[in-house]
Each structure stands twice: as C-alpha cells, then as structure tokens.
Amino acid sequence: MIPAEELQCLKAIALRGGCRGPVFVSTQSIGTMLAISQQTASRRLKALETQGLITRAMTADGQHVTVTKQGEEELRREFQEYSRIFSEGGKTYALHGAVVSGIGEGKYYMSLPAYKEQFKSHLGFEPYPGTLNIRLSHASVPIRKKIDALDWIRIKGFSTDGRTFGDAKCIPCRIGTIACGIVVPGRTHYPEDIIEVIAPMALRRKLGVEDSDSISVEVGP
Amino acid sequence: MIPAEELQCLKAIALRGGCRGPVFVSTQSIGTMLAISQQTASRRLKALETQGLITRAMTADGQHVTVTKQGEEELRREFQEYSRIFSEGGKTYALHGAVVSGIGEGKYYMSLPAYKEQFKSHLGFEPYPGTLNIRLSHASVPIRKKIDALDWIRIKGFSTDGRTFGDAKCIPCRIGTIACGIVVPGRTHYPEDIIEVIAPMALRRKLGVEDSDSISVEVGP
DNA sequence: ATTACTAGTAGACGAGTAA
DNA sequence: TTTACTCGTCTACTAGTAA
C-alpha cells in the first residue's frame, strides 16, 4: 500500500491539475502546500516517480509533473472509499443506551389530543401515552448530535385554558422492528445524552425492559 | 492541518461505519488494517480523540469508537477535494510537444476522398491534405495514454484498386482556437510520443511554426 | 532560481510488558 | 484478551550546501 503522506502529495499534484496535463511545480511550493520542508517534498516526488505514479520533466526553475494512469488509479481508489463513507444509500444511524425513568412529563404531554393528533398524522401511528427515556452511551452522543442535522418533523404548540404548550420536534426511528419516534421538546435545553422515544404501544412492556437495561435505536430511512 | 496518517486512520474508522454509530474496534485490528503496529494504532486513536475527531468508550476487550461531527467534517473536506479532482466538469487534457516532420504519409491518406468524407462528417470540417506531427514532451506521454480511454471516432477503412486501407480513429481537439483532430492509424503500432493533427487548413502556415517549435494541443469537451 | 545530496538529530516506531 | 506505558533503535526529518 502507498503510504499516506505520499498519497497526500499525489493528491496535491492532482488538485493542481496533474491528471489532465503536466503542471509546473517546485519542491518548495509542494512543501508549502503540505506544510513540509522543500527537502521532504523533493523526496516525496522522487518516491512517487520511482513507483511510477508520476512522471517528471525537470527544468532550471522547477519541474513539470504529470500524474500517470497508475497514479490516477490510486487516487480513484481513495475517492471510492470516501464515496462509500458518504454514499446516501440507506444511511442509518444507530444509538445505544440504557433505559432510564423520566419524571412522567412525557406521559402527560402525550395524553393531550392536540399533540397526539399531530404525531398520528406525521408518524403514522397513535402514540401510547408515555415515553421511553434512554440515557445514551458516551459513544452515542456524537451520533445524537449528527441526527440533529436531519429532517425533523415540527410539532406545533398550542394554547388552552390560559396555558401555553410549546413546539416540539420528532423524527421516525425504530427499536428492533417497531416503528417509533424520538421526541424533543422545543424550548428547554434538553440533556444531550437523553432521548425520549414514543411508540404505538407501551415499549417497556412490549420489549420486556426495565431501568438500566441496554437498548438500541435506529434512525434513518 | 491534520496529519495524513491520522486522516488515514480516521477514514478507516469511518469505513467501518464510525460516522453512523459506535463501531467496535481494537488497536490490533486498526493496526492490521493500516499495516502499522498495535502500539502505533493506539497512539493514532489517542491523537484523534485528543483533537476531538473521535470519541471512545473503552471496554475490556476493545473499544467503541465514534466519529464526531468535527471528524466527519474533516473527512468531508477530503472527499470534496477528491471530488474536485474527478469532477467531470469540462475535463480537458493538455498535450505539449514540438513540431516534427512526418514522412508525408499523412498528406497522402488525407487526400483520399473516402477518408476525407468521414473526417468531414465526424469532425465538422474538411481536413487540409496533410498532418501536423508533434513529438510529445516526456511529461505529456502519460496524458496521451489517458486520452486513449476517451471516446474516439472510428474511421472505417476501405479497398480500392486491389489495395486495402485500414481503419483509423480520431478525436476532436483544439490548437489555440482552431478546431482540429488527432488521427491515429488503426493497425500499426504508433510511437507513443507522436501525435498527428489534422485541421481545416495548413497548420504550419496558419500558426507560423516549423520543426522543433513548441506547441500545445487541448483535448476534451 | 531550482533539485537533491550529506549530515546530524528529533521523534516516530515497535518490542516488551504492566494493568 | 485488551490498552498503553517505557525504552532502545532507527527511520525520516530539516539544515546546510553543491550543482
């Protein structure tokens, strides 16, 4: 396998157009580009040339460098790996955590018809009045943050009897094969390691879980 | 800037799904994957964690690693650079070389109506009976090879007076703003550093060039 | 200006090993 | 099994410099 630093150097040449024609570079300019010394840049270019990944034509004040077919293949292989990482083909996120007890607030809110109806129309099921609270593992917290960037459904707040109920947002998810939803209250700053899950039925009973049992939630298409 | 080896390590984690959830890895398995020692892999992971590019949850028999939002941004930045290299947006190839004299064969072939007509219909101009031969610079030869992979126009051979004229292929190109074409005879093994260019007019006269003058040809959309 | 050699050194590497 | 420490080696870096 070609070392990472050499690949980086090859990429720099390609970015300057080295795949489409000879590009004029100096070891100095490559060095500056990659934050290495001129001498190291010189060694990198020599190594790439030896491996047949570039060809060089030296001049008095620099060199014309061209990425060979083989060099381009190396870059393309790398490109494909990155494509795999970012391909949108069924991109799902996995959250892991442990069941915890909430303070029963969820149960109250989910019993309000004005909320209930909105969840029903957007998620496709009538939510059981109650939420399953999950404390995310340390490792899942960054994933939770990325999920924030996805498309959430806006649940509108309302006022009744002189009391105001705020907005919320939710996103479909799955626990095993059960279609569920993650609900996040709109205003309050929620702890970043807690999620609240709603479902068509009482999840604790259905899944046979209780506090501190570990559980996985899948978000995405 | 994040060092190339660390980026490589981050990429390896992402390839295992580290952007979408915690993935179970060991420093041993990462080491094997990247052809480095377990100790070095350990150092890499620590460095990535310190920079906030991954989070880790250690267990007795390995660790759950997650790529953070920031880590994913680094990867995405890299991905975009590769995308730039391979984006098909007006990909043109530049060939450089020096004018040389051919043996007058081109002139003869280009005067044959059966060839002439095909060039006219495919390239959109009636070729001047003669070709401009160019000896490519050392640096341009790898580009010449890549151009082979593009879509060439097939020029059909024919027989007349008991003599057989072979197939050829050609591809549109430009010298400055003049629409030209590169012609390659079908059978013979042509020198890889020579190209033959046809145009609507006598190129030597039009461009005012003679043997050993340097010249550039552009191929592509 | 360049490239790239030599020389000297800093630091990265892997072996061994503790936890 | 792991992770990650220490330690000795040796690679890979940069400075200086020649061509």
Side-chain angles (χ1 to χ4, degrees):
Chain A
M1 197 197 338
I2 167 176
E5 306 93 346
E6 288 177 17
L7 192 70
Q8 181 193 37
C9 186
L10 187 63
K11 194 197 66 178
I13 296 163
L15 276 171
R16 292 200 171 193
C19 286
R20 295 186 298 279
V23 285
F24 184 80
V25 296
S26 71
T27 52
Q28 186 62 256
S29 65
I30 292 279
T32 305
M33 211 170 162
L34 303 179
I36 55 178
S37 70
Q38 171 267 318
Q39 293 87 340
T40 299
S42 173
R43 260 182 301 111
R44 292 277 151 79
L45 289 176
K46 273 211 305 174
L48 290 173
E49 187 179 31
T50 304
Q51 293 167 83
L53 301 173
I54 61 170
T55 60
R56 299 195 291 167
M58 314 299 294
T59 68
D61 59 345
Q63 49 193 303
H64 292 272
V65 179
T66 313
V67 177
T68 65
K69 201 160 189 159
Q70 195 192 334
E72 193 173 328
E73 271 165 27
E74 281 296 334
L75 290 167
R76 192 152 253 139
R77 197 185 43 66
E78 194 74 4
F79 178 50
Q80 278 168 356
E81 292 195 339
Y82 279 102
S83 299
R84 262 172 57 203
I85 294 171
F86 294 115
S87 68
E88 302 299 326
K91 192 171 191 168
T92 62
Y93 294 89
L95 296 170
H96 307 290
V99 173
V100 292
S101 289
I103 52 172
E105 262 198 321
K107 184 163 183 164
Y108 170 61
Y109 288 113
M110 296 314 296
S111 69
L112 297 170
Y115 280 137
K116 220 171 183 172
E117 283 309 312
Q118 288 187 70
F119 286 117
K120 187 174 176 180
S121 69
H122 286 114
L123 292 177
F125 60 81
E126 176 157 337
Y128 173 86
T131 63
L132 182 72
N133 290 32
I134 299 172
R135 181 179 303 279
L136 299 176
S137 70
H138 176 61
S140 286
V141 171
I143 301 300
R144 166 70 187 83
K145 287 179 185 165
K146 286 184 205 174
I147 291 172
D148 266 333
L150 299 182
D151 269 341
W152 289 69
I153 298 157
R154 185 181 163 227
I155 303 295
K156 296 196 194 79
F158 57 97
S159 292
T160 183
D161 295 338
R163 200 180 153 183
T164 301
F165 294 87
D167 282 359
K169 64 178 185 176
C170 86
I171 196 164
C173 68
R174 292 170 297 283
I175 294 179
T177 58
I178 307 167
C180 310
I182 297 173
V183 184
V184 180
R187 306 195 199 200
T188 54
H189 262 187
Y190 216 71
E192 63 177 15
D193 63 340
I194 297 281
I195 59 171
E196 244 173 299
V197 179
I198 58 173
M201 76 291 284
L203 282 170
R204 277 175 185 264
R205 203 180 310 145
K206 176 80 175 183
L207 299 167
V209 294
E210 52 191 46
D211 278 11
S212 84
D213 283 355
S214 73
I215 196 165
S216 290
V217 181
E218 198 186 321
V219 182
Chain B
M1 199 198 335
I2 168 175
E5 307 93 347
E6 288 177 17
L7 192 71
Q8 181 194 37
C9 185
L10 187 64
K11 194 197 66 179
I13 295 162
L15 276 171
R16 292 199 170 194
C19 286
R20 295 186 298 280
V23 285
F24 184 80
V25 296
S26 70
T27 51
Q28 186 61 255
S29 64
I30 291 279
T32 305
M33 210 170 162
L34 303 179
I36 55 178
S37 69
Q38 172 267 320
Q39 293 87 339
T40 299
S42 173
R43 263 195 299 267
R44 294 274 152 79
L45 289 176
K46 273 209 307 173
L48 290 174
E49 187 179 31
T50 304
Q51 293 167 83
L53 302 173
I54 61 171
T55 59
R56 298 196 291 167
M58 312 300 293
T59 67
D61 60 345
Q63 48 192 305
H64 292 271
V65 179
T66 312
V67 177
T68 65
K69 200 161 191 159
Q70 196 192 333
E72 193 174 327
E73 271 164 27
E74 281 295 335
L75 290 167
R76 193 152 252 139
R77 197 186 44 66
E78 194 74 2
F79 178 49
Q80 278 168 356
E81 291 196 337
Y82 278 102
S83 300
R84 261 173 55 202
I85 293 171
F86 294 115
S87 68
E88 302 299 326
K91 193 171 193 169
T92 61
Y93 294 89
L95 295 171
H96 306 291
V99 173
V100 291
S101 288
I103 52 173
E105 263 198 322
K107 184 163 185 166
Y108 171 62
Y109 288 113
M110 296 313 296
S111 69
L112 296 170
Y115 279 137
K116 220 171 183 172
E117 282 308 313
Q118 289 187 70
F119 285 118
K120 186 174 178 180
S121 70
H122 286 113
L123 292 177
F125 61 80
E126 176 158 336
Y128 173 84
T131 63
L132 182 72
N133 290 34
I134 300 171
R135 181 178 304 280
L136 299 176
S137 70
H138 176 62
S140 286
V141 171
I143 302 300
R144 167 67 187 86
K145 288 179 183 164
K146 287 185 203 173
I147 292 171
D148 266 332
L150 300 181
D151 269 342
W152 289 68
I153 297 157
R154 184 179 164 230
I155 303 295
K156 296 196 195 79
F158 58 96
S159 292
T160 181
D161 296 338
R163 197 178 156 185
T164 300
F165 295 87
D167 281 359
K169 64 178 185 176
C170 86
I171 195 165
C173 67
R174 290 171 298 283
I175 294 179
T177 58
I178 306 167
C180 309
I182 297 173
V183 184
V184 180
R187 308 194 199 203
T188 55
H189 261 187
Y190 216 72
E192 62 176 15
D193 63 340
I194 297 281
I195 60 171
E196 244 173 298
V197 178
I198 58 174
M201 75 291 285
L203 282 171
R204 278 177 185 262
R205 203 179 311 145
K206 175 80 176 184
L207 300 168
V209 293
E210 50 191 48
D211 278 12
S212 85
D213 283 355
S214 74
I215 196 166
S216 291
V217 180
E218 198 187 321
V219 181

